[in-house]
Amino acid sequence: MEWISENGAGAGSLVFQLIRPLLHQRNMELVVVDPRQEFHPTGLFGNGGTFDRMLILRPHRKDVPWTYEQVLRSTAGVLAIGPLERVLPSTYRRFKLAAEHGGGIAMFLRPSKYRHEPSWADYRIQITPQPGPRQAPLTRALQMELLHVRGGRTSHQPSQVIIHDDASVVRVDSQLAHPASLDRSA
């Protein structure tokens, strides 16, 4: 799955809020790939929430594709999340094969400049910051647009997402269709 946005637009915060139930429901390990060394887990644990099993990997930038491939190949039940810059189609195909072998899920955070590049991801979602409600200072509004669903159709109708940072709550309007199942592939 690809989450397309500009750095600091809120995509990472949104993804971490959305994956928490998935990790618990499927009893998965969380692996954060952090080549820029910008990830700080303390920012995730609002209102006492935690990720029970989390591993933070900080590979050199040139080793990021190899790191994702190895993590996705693991049979430990892994959800990998982190940034992904430009990759060759053959590398993306290796991610896909590794995820099929190991059963892992990848959530790639990609800059908007890669929106129109080919992708092997089953889902591609664009996140754009929006003006938030003035009455709630710890609330952020985002526009979420489903750009691509492998084997399916997209409505191309953006949805508004509200993140309540003080309560670790995400509210999505009903316009965005919820996929019937989340495929365990990159």
Side-chain angles (χ1 to χ4, degrees):
M1 181 177 283
E2 285 186 351
W3 297 82
I4 309 289
S5 71
E6 293 304 322
N7 193 24
S13 298
L14 174 63
V15 171
F16 278 106
Q17 293 299 327
L18 295 176
I19 65 172
R20 189 182 308 248
L22 179 67
L23 291 169
H24 292 293
Q25 178 185 34
R26 295 192 180 184
N27 197 29
M28 299 180 82
E29 305 277 342
L30 174 63
V31 177
V32 178
V33 178
D34 182 26
R36 297 181 217 139
Q37 300 188 18
E38 296 175 338
F39 177 73
H40 300 284
T42 54
L44 296 178
F45 306 133
N47 281 354
T50 63
F51 287 99
D52 297 332
R53 298 179 314 207
M54 177 172 49
L55 176 65
I56 302 170
L57 301 176
R58 294 194 162 124
H60 189 275
R61 284 192 141 155
K62 68 179 177 60
D63 295 327
V64 169
W66 180 85
T67 302
Y68 279 121
E69 185 177 351
Q70 297 306 306
V71 167
L72 292 171
R73 189 170 302 283
S74 167
T75 58
V78 172
L79 191 150
I81 183 172
L84 184 64
E85 297 292 327
R86 177 169 296 219
V87 292
L88 297 171
S90 60
T91 302
Y92 231 131
R93 178 69 179 143
R94 286 198 330 262
F95 293 163
K96 187 89 165 162
L97 293 171
E100 288 172 1
H101 175 267
I105 297 173
M107 301 268 185
F108 298 125
L109 303 171
R110 301 200 70 198
S112 294
K113 66 184 176 181
Y114 300 119
R115 176 183 173 154
H116 298 290
E117 289 196 359
S119 170
W120 285 80
D122 290 333
Y123 301 93
R124 191 175 243 193
I125 300 167
Q126 173 81 42
I127 301 295
T128 309
Q130 301 293 303
R134 292 183 190 164
Q135 67 274 19
L138 293 176
T139 300
R140 291 181 286 159
L142 303 173
Q143 178 178 299
M144 185 164 64
E145 181 181 358
L146 187 58
L147 301 174
H148 171 79
V149 176
R150 186 165 306 282
R153 295 169 40 178
T154 60
S155 65
H156 298 288
Q157 293 181 352
S159 296
Q160 185 166 26
V161 178
I162 304 294
I163 300 176
H164 300 276
D165 289 326
D166 59 337
S168 296
V169 173
V170 175
R171 190 182 81 234
V172 181
D173 74 18
S174 61
Q175 290 179 353
L176 185 69
H178 297 284
S181 66
L182 181 59
D183 202 64
R184 286 180 161 255
S185 52

mmCIF file of all heavy atoms in Angstrom, residues 127-176:
data_model
loop_
_atom_site.group_PDB
_atom_site.id
_atom_site.type_symbol
_atom_site.label_atom_id
_atom_site.label_comp_id
_atom_site.label_asym_id
_atom_site.label_seq_id
_atom_site.Cartn_x
_atom_site.Cartn_y
_atom_site.Cartn_z
ATOM 1 N N ILE A 127 -2.771 11.748 0.261
ATOM 2 C CA ILE A 127 -3.143 12.498 1.459
ATOM 3 C C ILE A 127 -2.739 13.950 1.264
ATOM 4 O O ILE A 127 -1.593 14.245 0.945
ATOM 5 C CB ILE A 127 -2.440 11.926 2.713
ATOM 6 C CG1 ILE A 127 -2.793 10.458 2.920
ATOM 7 C CG2 ILE A 127 -2.750 12.773 3.942
ATOM 8 C CD1 ILE A 127 -4.238 10.197 3.228
ATOM 9 N N THR A 128 -3.693 14.865 1.480
ATOM 10 C CA THR A 128 -3.444 16.294 1.322
ATOM 11 C C THR A 128 -3.973 17.013 2.562
ATOM 12 O O THR A 128 -5.128 16.802 2.944
ATOM 13 C CB THR A 128 -4.175 16.840 0.072
ATOM 14 O OG1 THR A 128 -3.847 16.006 -1.046
ATOM 15 C CG2 THR A 128 -3.780 18.267 -0.215
ATOM 16 N N PRO A 129 -3.160 17.851 3.214
ATOM 17 C CA PRO A 129 -3.667 18.594 4.379
ATOM 18 C C PRO A 129 -4.751 19.581 3.976
ATOM 19 O O PRO A 129 -4.719 20.145 2.880
ATOM 20 C CB PRO A 129 -2.433 19.318 4.922
ATOM 21 C CG PRO A 129 -1.387 19.207 3.885
ATOM 22 C CD PRO A 129 -1.780 18.157 2.899
ATOM 23 N N GLN A 130 -5.709 19.784 4.866
ATOM 24 C CA GLN A 130 -6.825 20.706 4.658
ATOM 25 C C GLN A 130 -6.927 21.624 5.872
ATOM 26 O O GLN A 130 -6.428 21.285 6.950
ATOM 27 C CB GLN A 130 -8.144 19.923 4.505
ATOM 28 C CG GLN A 130 -8.149 18.934 3.357
ATOM 29 C CD GLN A 130 -8.084 19.631 2.020
ATOM 30 O OE1 GLN A 130 -8.905 20.457 1.711
ATOM 31 N NE2 GLN A 130 -7.076 19.277 1.225
ATOM 32 N N PRO A 131 -7.594 22.748 5.731
ATOM 33 C CA PRO A 131 -7.817 23.587 6.915
ATOM 34 C C PRO A 131 -8.630 22.815 7.952
ATOM 35 O O PRO A 131 -9.620 22.172 7.607
ATOM 36 C CB PRO A 131 -8.616 24.783 6.381
ATOM 37 C CG PRO A 131 -8.439 24.747 4.902
ATOM 38 C CD PRO A 131 -8.158 23.329 4.529
ATOM 39 N N GLY A 132 -8.179 22.843 9.187
ATOM 40 C CA GLY A 132 -8.869 22.124 10.254
ATOM 41 C C GLY A 132 -9.865 22.990 10.987
ATOM 42 O O GLY A 132 -9.904 24.209 10.801
ATOM 43 N N PRO A 133 -10.684 22.364 11.821
ATOM 44 C CA PRO A 133 -11.656 23.127 12.613
ATOM 45 C C PRO A 133 -10.947 24.091 13.567
ATOM 46 O O PRO A 133 -10.007 23.705 14.246
ATOM 47 C CB PRO A 133 -12.407 22.041 13.403
ATOM 48 C CG PRO A 133 -12.050 20.748 12.749
ATOM 49 C CD PRO A 133 -10.754 20.937 12.061
ATOM 50 N N ARG A 134 -11.388 25.320 13.596
ATOM 51 C CA ARG A 134 -10.752 26.327 14.448
ATOM 52 C C ARG A 134 -11.005 26.084 15.925
ATOM 53 O O ARG A 134 -10.210 26.468 16.765
ATOM 54 C CB ARG A 134 -11.251 27.716 14.072
ATOM 55 C CG ARG A 134 -10.784 28.120 12.716
ATOM 56 C CD ARG A 134 -11.235 29.516 12.393
ATOM 57 N NE ARG A 134 -10.968 29.768 10.988
ATOM 58 C CZ ARG A 134 -11.481 30.733 10.318
ATOM 59 N NH1 ARG A 134 -12.309 31.576 10.904
ATOM 60 N NH2 ARG A 134 -11.189 30.905 9.049
ATOM 61 N N GLN A 135 -12.114 25.447 16.264
ATOM 62 C CA GLN A 135 -12.473 25.267 17.667
ATOM 63 C C GLN A 135 -11.683 24.144 18.336
ATOM 64 O O GLN A 135 -11.728 23.997 19.539
ATOM 65 C CB GLN A 135 -13.976 25.015 17.828
ATOM 66 C CG GLN A 135 -14.456 23.696 17.257
ATOM 67 C CD GLN A 135 -14.785 23.756 15.770
ATOM 68 O OE1 GLN A 135 -14.366 24.648 15.057
ATOM 69 N NE2 GLN A 135 -15.540 22.787 15.304
ATOM 70 N N ALA A 136 -10.929 23.358 17.580
ATOM 71 C CA ALA A 136 -10.185 22.238 18.143
ATOM 72 C C ALA A 136 -8.711 22.351 17.731
ATOM 73 O O ALA A 136 -8.326 21.902 16.661
ATOM 74 C CB ALA A 136 -10.783 20.925 17.663
ATOM 75 N N PRO A 137 -7.869 22.951 18.583
ATOM 76 C CA PRO A 137 -6.479 23.195 18.195
ATOM 77 C C PRO A 137 -5.656 21.923 17.953
ATOM 78 O O PRO A 137 -4.707 21.955 17.205
ATOM 79 C CB PRO A 137 -5.916 24.000 19.365
ATOM 80 C CG PRO A 137 -6.835 23.742 20.497
ATOM 81 C CD PRO A 137 -8.174 23.435 19.917
ATOM 82 N N LEU A 138 -5.984 20.822 18.568
ATOM 83 C CA LEU A 138 -5.237 19.578 18.375
ATOM 84 C C LEU A 138 -5.909 18.667 17.352
ATOM 85 O O LEU A 138 -5.761 17.450 17.385
ATOM 86 C CB LEU A 138 -5.061 18.848 19.709
ATOM 87 C CG LEU A 138 -4.171 19.572 20.718
ATOM 88 C CD1 LEU A 138 -4.137 18.831 22.044
ATOM 89 C CD2 LEU A 138 -2.767 19.753 20.175
ATOM 90 N N THR A 139 -6.636 19.263 16.448
ATOM 91 C CA THR A 139 -7.341 18.510 15.415
ATOM 92 C C THR A 139 -6.794 18.907 14.052
ATOM 93 O O THR A 139 -6.593 20.078 13.780
ATOM 94 C CB THR A 139 -8.849 18.802 15.483
ATOM 95 O OG1 THR A 139 -9.321 18.417 16.766
ATOM 96 C CG2 THR A 139 -9.610 18.030 14.437
ATOM 97 N N ARG A 140 -6.530 17.889 13.211
ATOM 98 C CA ARG A 140 -6.043 18.143 11.862
ATOM 99 C C ARG A 140 -7.006 17.534 10.860
ATOM 100 O O ARG A 140 -7.550 16.458 11.086
ATOM 101 C CB ARG A 140 -4.663 17.515 11.664
ATOM 102 C CG ARG A 140 -3.601 18.218 12.474
ATOM 103 C CD ARG A 140 -2.258 17.611 12.250
ATOM 104 N NE ARG A 140 -2.208 16.336 12.951
ATOM 105 C CZ ARG A 140 -1.365 15.367 12.653
ATOM 106 N NH1 ARG A 140 -0.519 15.499 11.667
ATOM 107 N NH2 ARG A 140 -1.368 14.245 13.336
ATOM 108 N N ALA A 141 -7.205 18.232 9.762
ATOM 109 C CA ALA A 141 -8.058 17.726 8.687
ATOM 110 C C ALA A 141 -7.170 17.350 7.503
ATOM 111 O O ALA A 141 -6.236 18.072 7.160
ATOM 112 C CB ALA A 141 -9.077 18.776 8.276
ATOM 113 N N LEU A 142 -7.491 16.213 6.906
ATOM 114 C CA LEU A 142 -6.767 15.734 5.736
ATOM 115 C C LEU A 142 -7.771 15.323 4.678
ATOM 116 O O LEU A 142 -8.879 14.889 4.998
ATOM 117 C CB LEU A 142 -5.909 14.510 6.080
ATOM 118 C CG LEU A 142 -4.880 14.655 7.189
ATOM 119 C CD1 LEU A 142 -4.251 13.308 7.506
ATOM 120 C CD2 LEU A 142 -3.819 15.652 6.790
ATOM 121 N N GLN A 143 -7.372 15.455 3.442
ATOM 122 C CA GLN A 143 -8.168 14.907 2.344
ATOM 123 C C GLN A 143 -7.503 13.600 1.930
ATOM 124 O O GLN A 143 -6.300 13.546 1.719
ATOM 125 C CB GLN A 143 -8.205 15.870 1.170
ATOM 126 C CG GLN A 143 -8.973 15.327 -0.015
ATOM 127 C CD GLN A 143 -9.015 16.342 -1.130
ATOM 128 O OE1 GLN A 143 -9.540 17.434 -0.959
ATOM 129 N NE2 GLN A 143 -8.452 15.983 -2.265
ATOM 130 N N MET A 144 -8.292 12.545 1.827
ATOM 131 C CA MET A 144 -7.781 11.233 1.464
ATOM 132 C C MET A 144 -8.461 10.815 0.170
ATOM 133 O O MET A 144 -9.686 10.754 0.098
ATOM 134 C CB MET A 144 -8.082 10.226 2.588
ATOM 135 C CG MET A 144 -7.497 8.876 2.351
ATOM 136 S SD MET A 144 -7.457 7.834 3.841
ATOM 137 C CE MET A 144 -9.175 7.635 4.212
ATOM 138 N N GLU A 145 -7.639 10.573 -0.866
ATOM 139 C CA GLU A 145 -8.184 10.188 -2.164
ATOM 140 C C GLU A 145 -7.604 8.836 -2.571
ATOM 141 O O GLU A 145 -6.392 8.674 -2.660
ATOM 142 C CB GLU A 145 -7.832 11.238 -3.211
ATOM 143 C CG GLU A 145 -8.388 10.927 -4.579
ATOM 144 C CD GLU A 145 -8.016 11.961 -5.624
ATOM 145 O OE1 GLU A 145 -7.350 12.952 -5.289
ATOM 146 O OE2 GLU A 145 -8.395 11.768 -6.787
ATOM 147 N N LEU A 146 -8.478 7.891 -2.815
ATOM 148 C CA LEU A 146 -8.066 6.578 -3.278
ATOM 149 C C LEU A 146 -7.742 6.686 -4.762
ATOM 150 O O LEU A 146 -8.615 6.892 -5.587
ATOM 151 C CB LEU A 146 -9.193 5.567 -3.033
ATOM 152 C CG LEU A 146 -8.904 4.112 -3.302
ATOM 153 C CD1 LEU A 146 -7.736 3.617 -2.473
ATOM 154 C CD2 LEU A 146 -10.147 3.290 -3.008
ATOM 155 N N LEU A 147 -6.446 6.572 -5.105
ATOM 156 C CA LEU A 147 -5.996 6.744 -6.486
ATOM 157 C C LEU A 147 -6.044 5.454 -7.280
ATOM 158 O O LEU A 147 -6.265 5.473 -8.484
ATOM 159 C CB LEU A 147 -4.554 7.269 -6.507
ATOM 160 C CG LEU A 147 -4.291 8.590 -5.805
ATOM 161 C CD1 LEU A 147 -2.805 8.883 -5.799
ATOM 162 C CD2 LEU A 147 -5.077 9.708 -6.460
ATOM 163 N N HIS A 148 -5.795 4.340 -6.602
ATOM 164 C CA HIS A 148 -5.683 3.067 -7.322
ATOM 165 C C HIS A 148 -6.018 1.908 -6.395
ATOM 166 O O HIS A 148 -5.607 1.891 -5.239
ATOM 167 C CB HIS A 148 -4.253 2.892 -7.842
ATOM 168 C CG HIS A 148 -3.978 1.541 -8.397
ATOM 169 N ND1 HIS A 148 -4.394 1.168 -9.663
ATOM 170 C CD2 HIS A 148 -3.347 0.470 -7.874
ATOM 171 C CE1 HIS A 148 -4.006 -0.086 -9.871
ATOM 172 N NE2 HIS A 148 -3.376 -0.517 -8.809
ATOM 173 N N VAL A 149 -6.760 0.955 -6.922
ATOM 174 C CA VAL A 149 -7.013 -0.318 -6.252
ATOM 175 C C VAL A 149 -6.724 -1.401 -7.278
ATOM 176 O O VAL A 149 -7.349 -1.421 -8.338
ATOM 177 C CB VAL A 149 -8.476 -0.452 -5.755
ATOM 178 C CG1 VAL A 149 -8.715 -1.826 -5.166
ATOM 179 C CG2 VAL A 149 -8.809 0.631 -4.767
ATOM 180 N N ARG A 150 -5.771 -2.264 -6.991
ATOM 181 C CA ARG A 150 -5.437 -3.323 -7.936
ATOM 182 C C ARG A 150 -6.639 -4.253 -8.095
ATOM 183 O O ARG A 150 -7.178 -4.757 -7.129
ATOM 184 C CB ARG A 150 -4.228 -4.127 -7.468
ATOM 185 C CG ARG A 150 -3.785 -5.149 -8.513
ATOM 186 C CD ARG A 150 -2.418 -5.710 -8.262
ATOM 187 N NE ARG A 150 -1.353 -4.736 -8.105
ATOM 188 C CZ ARG A 150 -0.750 -4.075 -9.098
ATOM 189 N NH1 ARG A 150 -1.133 -4.256 -10.327
ATOM 190 N NH2 ARG A 150 0.224 -3.227 -8.849
ATOM 191 N N GLY A 151 -7.057 -4.429 -9.337
ATOM 192 C CA GLY A 151 -8.170 -5.318 -9.635
ATOM 193 C C GLY A 151 -9.529 -4.732 -9.315
ATOM 194 O O GLY A 151 -10.535 -5.417 -9.341
ATOM 195 N N GLY A 152 -9.581 -3.455 -8.991
ATOM 196 C CA GLY A 152 -10.864 -2.854 -8.645
ATOM 197 C C GLY A 152 -11.018 -1.491 -9.274
ATOM 198 O O GLY A 152 -10.175 -1.025 -10.024
ATOM 199 N N ARG A 153 -12.116 -0.859 -8.957
ATOM 200 C CA ARG A 153 -12.396 0.471 -9.472
ATOM 201 C C ARG A 153 -12.372 1.467 -8.334
ATOM 202 O O ARG A 153 -12.728 1.151 -7.212
ATOM 203 C CB ARG A 153 -13.765 0.478 -10.145
ATOM 204 C CG ARG A 153 -13.794 -0.415 -11.368
ATOM 205 C CD ARG A 153 -15.162 -0.655 -11.907
ATOM 206 N NE ARG A 153 -16.009 0.522 -11.890
ATOM 207 C CZ ARG A 153 -17.232 0.537 -12.361
ATOM 208 N NH1 ARG A 153 -17.746 -0.549 -12.885
ATOM 209 N NH2 ARG A 153 -17.957 1.629 -12.320
ATOM 210 N N THR A 154 -11.948 2.666 -8.650
ATOM 211 C CA THR A 154 -11.962 3.722 -7.653
ATOM 212 C C THR A 154 -12.970 4.782 -8.064
ATOM 213 O O THR A 154 -13.216 4.992 -9.242
ATOM 214 C CB THR A 154 -10.571 4.380 -7.497
ATOM 215 O OG1 THR A 154 -10.199 4.930 -8.761
ATOM 216 C CG2 THR A 154 -9.537 3.381 -7.048
ATOM 217 N N SER A 155 -13.544 5.437 -7.089
ATOM 218 C CA SER A 155 -14.537 6.467 -7.366
ATOM 219 C C SER A 155 -13.883 7.817 -7.627
ATOM 220 O O SER A 155 -14.515 8.709 -8.159
ATOM 221 C CB SER A 155 -15.509 6.579 -6.193
ATOM 222 O OG SER A 155 -14.819 7.044 -5.045
ATOM 223 N N HIS A 156 -12.632 7.974 -7.217
ATOM 224 C CA HIS A 156 -11.905 9.233 -7.340
ATOM 225 C C HIS A 156 -12.601 10.370 -6.607
ATOM 226 O O HIS A 156 -12.429 11.519 -6.936
ATOM 227 C CB HIS A 156 -11.658 9.607 -8.809
ATOM 228 C CG HIS A 156 -10.811 8.619 -9.530
ATOM 229 N ND1 HIS A 156 -9.470 8.488 -9.294
ATOM 230 C CD2 HIS A 156 -11.110 7.695 -10.458
ATOM 231 C CE1 HIS A 156 -8.981 7.544 -10.052
ATOM 232 N NE2 HIS A 156 -9.951 7.039 -10.769
ATOM 233 N N GLN A 157 -13.416 10.053 -5.618
ATOM 234 C CA GLN A 157 -14.050 11.075 -4.794
ATOM 235 C C GLN A 157 -13.295 11.147 -3.473
ATOM 236 O O GLN A 157 -13.297 10.193 -2.708
ATOM 237 C CB GLN A 157 -15.510 10.733 -4.533
ATOM 238 C CG GLN A 157 -16.366 10.780 -5.776
ATOM 239 C CD GLN A 157 -17.806 10.452 -5.466
ATOM 240 O OE1 GLN A 157 -18.143 10.056 -4.360
ATOM 241 N NE2 GLN A 157 -18.655 10.618 -6.452
ATOM 242 N N PRO A 158 -12.622 12.269 -3.224
ATOM 243 C CA PRO A 158 -11.861 12.390 -1.984
ATOM 244 C C PRO A 158 -12.763 12.356 -0.753
ATOM 245 O O PRO A 158 -13.938 12.715 -0.816
ATOM 246 C CB PRO A 158 -11.183 13.751 -2.109
ATOM 247 C CG PRO A 158 -11.324 14.153 -3.527
ATOM 248 C CD PRO A 158 -12.516 13.424 -4.076
ATOM 249 N N SER A 159 -12.199 11.905 0.344
ATOM 250 C CA SER A 159 -12.879 11.892 1.625
ATOM 251 C C SER A 159 -12.109 12.769 2.593
ATOM 252 O O SER A 159 -10.898 12.909 2.478
ATOM 253 C CB SER A 159 -12.949 10.471 2.185
ATOM 254 O OG SER A 159 -13.727 9.666 1.365
ATOM 255 N N GLN A 160 -12.819 13.330 3.556
ATOM 256 C CA GLN A 160 -12.156 14.119 4.574
ATOM 257 C C GLN A 160 -11.902 13.243 5.789
ATOM 258 O O GLN A 160 -12.752 12.460 6.201
ATOM 259 C CB GLN A 160 -12.976 15.336 4.980
ATOM 260 C CG GLN A 160 -12.208 16.212 5.946
ATOM 261 C CD GLN A 160 -12.818 17.570 6.127
ATOM 262 O OE1 GLN A 160 -13.999 17.760 5.940
ATOM 263 N NE2 GLN A 160 -11.992 18.518 6.508
ATOM 264 N N VAL A 161 -10.701 13.386 6.336
ATOM 265 C CA VAL A 161 -10.283 12.646 7.517
ATOM 266 C C VAL A 161 -9.945 13.673 8.584
ATOM 267 O O VAL A 161 -9.257 14.655 8.315
ATOM 268 C CB VAL A 161 -9.031 11.785 7.218
ATOM 269 C CG1 VAL A 161 -8.569 11.052 8.450
ATOM 270 C CG2 VAL A 161 -9.296 10.830 6.079
ATOM 271 N N ILE A 162 -10.439 13.445 9.788
ATOM 272 C CA ILE A 162 -10.132 14.318 10.916
ATOM 273 C C ILE A 162 -9.316 13.508 11.917
ATOM 274 O O ILE A 162 -9.737 12.433 12.343
ATOM 275 C CB ILE A 162 -11.411 14.829 11.612
ATOM 276 C CG1 ILE A 162 -12.340 15.536 10.618
ATOM 277 C CG2 ILE A 162 -11.063 15.732 12.794
ATOM 278 C CD1 ILE A 162 -11.793 16.815 10.056
ATOM 279 N N ILE A 163 -8.140 14.019 12.270
ATOM 280 C CA ILE A 163 -7.295 13.375 13.278
ATOM 281 C C ILE A 163 -7.366 14.212 14.539
ATOM 282 O O ILE A 163 -7.070 15.407 14.515
ATOM 283 C CB ILE A 163 -5.829 13.263 12.815
ATOM 284 C CG1 ILE A 163 -5.724 12.443 11.546
ATOM 285 C CG2 ILE A 163 -4.965 12.649 13.920
ATOM 286 C CD1 ILE A 163 -4.318 12.382 10.977
ATOM 287 N N HIS A 164 -7.771 13.588 15.631
ATOM 288 C CA HIS A 164 -7.798 14.243 16.939
ATOM 289 C C HIS A 164 -6.542 13.801 17.678
ATOM 290 O O HIS A 164 -6.516 12.744 18.299
ATOM 291 C CB HIS A 164 -9.055 13.852 17.722
ATOM 292 C CG HIS A 164 -10.322 14.234 17.027
ATOM 293 N ND1 HIS A 164 -10.853 15.488 17.129
ATOM 294 C CD2 HIS A 164 -11.133 13.535 16.193
ATOM 295 C CE1 HIS A 164 -11.968 15.555 16.402
ATOM 296 N NE2 HIS A 164 -12.149 14.389 15.821
ATOM 297 N N ASP A 165 -5.482 14.605 17.586
ATOM 298 C CA ASP A 165 -4.197 14.229 18.160
ATOM 299 C C ASP A 165 -4.254 14.029 19.663
ATOM 300 O O ASP A 165 -3.555 13.183 20.209
ATOM 301 C CB ASP A 165 -3.133 15.283 17.840
ATOM 302 C CG ASP A 165 -2.734 15.257 16.375
ATOM 303 O OD1 ASP A 165 -2.720 14.163 15.790
ATOM 304 O OD2 ASP A 165 -2.441 16.335 15.831
ATOM 305 N N ASP A 166 -5.085 14.780 20.350
ATOM 306 C CA ASP A 166 -5.139 14.673 21.801
ATOM 307 C C ASP A 166 -5.813 13.382 22.266
ATOM 308 O O ASP A 166 -5.606 12.936 23.383
ATOM 309 C CB ASP A 166 -5.840 15.883 22.417
ATOM 310 C CG ASP A 166 -7.261 16.070 21.915
ATOM 311 O OD1 ASP A 166 -7.572 15.571 20.807
ATOM 312 O OD2 ASP A 166 -8.051 16.723 22.609
ATOM 313 N N ALA A 167 -6.603 12.744 21.420
ATOM 314 C CA ALA A 167 -7.325 11.540 21.814
ATOM 315 C C ALA A 167 -6.949 10.315 20.981
ATOM 316 O O ALA A 167 -7.527 9.257 21.163
ATOM 317 C CB ALA A 167 -8.832 11.783 21.703
ATOM 318 N N SER A 168 -5.991 10.447 20.087
ATOM 319 C CA SER A 168 -5.587 9.346 19.196
ATOM 320 C C SER A 168 -6.791 8.756 18.477
ATOM 321 O O SER A 168 -6.974 7.555 18.413
ATOM 322 C CB SER A 168 -4.856 8.261 19.977
ATOM 323 O OG SER A 168 -3.665 8.764 20.511
ATOM 324 N N VAL A 169 -7.627 9.626 17.923
ATOM 325 C CA VAL A 169 -8.847 9.204 17.232
ATOM 326 C C VAL A 169 -8.799 9.714 15.797
ATOM 327 O O VAL A 169 -8.364 10.827 15.545
ATOM 328 C CB VAL A 169 -10.101 9.769 17.944
ATOM 329 C CG1 VAL A 169 -11.358 9.496 17.149
ATOM 330 C CG2 VAL A 169 -10.212 9.215 19.348
ATOM 331 N N VAL A 170 -9.273 8.877 14.876
ATOM 332 C CA VAL A 170 -9.382 9.263 13.471
ATOM 333 C C VAL A 170 -10.827 9.075 13.051
ATOM 334 O O VAL A 170 -11.431 8.040 13.335
ATOM 335 C CB VAL A 170 -8.467 8.392 12.576
ATOM 336 C CG1 VAL A 170 -8.687 8.725 11.110
ATOM 337 C CG2 VAL A 170 -7.019 8.570 12.960
ATOM 338 N N ARG A 171 -11.398 10.069 12.394
ATOM 339 C CA ARG A 171 -12.759 9.961 11.877
ATOM 340 C C ARG A 171 -12.699 10.161 10.369
ATOM 341 O O ARG A 171 -12.149 11.145 9.882
ATOM 342 C CB ARG A 171 -13.662 11.017 12.505
ATOM 343 C CG ARG A 171 -15.128 10.793 12.173
ATOM 344 C CD ARG A 171 -16.018 11.867 12.766
ATOM 345 N NE ARG A 171 -15.971 13.036 11.899
ATOM 346 C CZ ARG A 171 -15.659 14.266 12.296
ATOM 347 N NH1 ARG A 171 -15.368 14.512 13.532
ATOM 348 N NH2 ARG A 171 -15.640 15.264 11.430
ATOM 349 N N VAL A 172 -13.259 9.224 9.614
ATOM 350 C CA VAL A 172 -13.290 9.292 8.153
ATOM 351 C C VAL A 172 -14.738 9.419 7.720
ATOM 352 O O VAL A 172 -15.596 8.695 8.212
ATOM 353 C CB VAL A 172 -12.688 8.013 7.524
ATOM 354 C CG1 VAL A 172 -12.704 8.093 6.003
ATOM 355 C CG2 VAL A 172 -11.283 7.772 8.038
ATOM 356 N N ASP A 173 -15.008 10.342 6.780
ATOM 357 C CA ASP A 173 -16.380 10.411 6.292
ATOM 358 C C ASP A 173 -16.680 9.176 5.449
ATOM 359 O O ASP A 173 -15.805 8.452 5.021
ATOM 360 C CB ASP A 173 -16.663 11.723 5.559
ATOM 361 C CG ASP A 173 -16.051 11.828 4.176
ATOM 362 O OD1 ASP A 173 -15.674 10.805 3.603
ATOM 363 O OD2 ASP A 173 -15.960 12.953 3.671
ATOM 364 N N SER A 174 -17.924 8.909 5.201
ATOM 365 C CA SER A 174 -18.353 7.647 4.599
ATOM 366 C C SER A 174 -18.185 7.572 3.087
ATOM 367 O O SER A 174 -18.536 6.570 2.485
ATOM 368 C CB SER A 174 -19.820 7.387 4.954
ATOM 369 O OG SER A 174 -20.616 8.431 4.448
ATOM 370 N N GLN A 175 -17.664 8.596 2.438
ATOM 371 C CA GLN A 175 -17.524 8.555 0.984
ATOM 372 C C GLN A 175 -16.466 7.573 0.516
ATOM 373 O O GLN A 175 -16.534 7.057 -0.587
ATOM 374 C CB GLN A 175 -17.181 9.938 0.437
ATOM 375 C CG GLN A 175 -18.302 10.921 0.539
ATOM 376 C CD GLN A 175 -17.874 12.273 0.006
ATOM 377 O OE1 GLN A 175 -16.712 12.496 -0.306
ATOM 378 N NE2 GLN A 175 -18.818 13.179 -0.079
ATOM 379 N N LEU A 176 -15.461 7.308 1.348
ATOM 380 C CA LEU A 176 -14.387 6.406 0.934
ATOM 381 C C LEU A 176 -14.828 4.967 1.159
ATOM 382 O O LEU A 176 -15.197 4.585 2.257
ATOM 383 C CB LEU A 176 -13.117 6.679 1.733
ATOM 384 C CG LEU A 176 -11.900 5.886 1.312
ATOM 385 C CD1 LEU A 176 -11.428 6.342 -0.067
ATOM 386 C CD2 LEU A 176 -10.788 6.076 2.312
#
